[in-house]
Amino acid sequence: MKSLVIVGAGGFGREALGIVRDIGGFEPLAFVDASPDRVGTVVDGVPVAGGDAALADLRVRGAQALFVAIGDGRVRQRLWRIGKELGFELATLVHPMAYRASGVTVGEGSVLYPGSVTMAGVRVGHGVLINAGAT
């Protein structure tokens, strides 16, 4: 089981944590969050280790995978690059209740929520969010 850090302890991060728990294969180690009010708290049983600067320390301590759960695409992309530079594997989360037709590919760092539908020939890029109920 790979240890996982989730960037963003808000709604998107909590949803990602739920998907992680549903699919297995990852052990949630920590959240990182830029909000000083969240640092040092525990969100849904997972500690908030600090802001973005905590990523390097978590990687040194053995964290293997990273999922960026930030809604702003530019910020998500910046943090995604930082994670790659630090050597994190960028986790791809596909909920078991997401429908994927044969041959659908999902890029690293993407998430398919429960109830989402991707049909034949679809190629989901890197860092993409396909929300619940999307077809």
Side-chain angles (χ1 to χ4, degrees), residues 76-118:
R76 188 168 60 243
Q77 186 176 46
R78 179 180 62 81
L79 291 165
W80 200 62
R81 275 194 231 116
I82 290 170
K84 285 188 76 101
E85 289 168 5
L86 290 171
F88 281 101
E89 169 192 328
L90 298 176
T92 300
L93 309 178
V94 178
H95 194 276
M97 291 177 58
Y99 176 77
R100 285 190 299 168
S102 178
V104 170
T105 60
V106 181
E108 68 180 344
S110 292
V111 58
L112 275 61
Y113 274 72
S116 62
V117 177
T118 48

Side-chain angles (χ1 to χ4, degrees), residues 20-68:
V20 164
R21 288 178 170 158
D22 286 346
I23 64 176
F26 294 104
E27 178 63 35
L29 177 67
F31 283 104
V32 297
D33 195 285
S35 173
D37 295 344
R38 289 190 177 131
V39 175
T41 65
V42 175
V43 175
D44 292 347
V46 178
V48 180
D52 304 348
L55 287 172
D57 180 57
L58 288 164
R59 181 68 181 121
V60 168
R61 290 188 1 216
Q64 299 164 301
L66 181 75
F67 184 79
V68 181

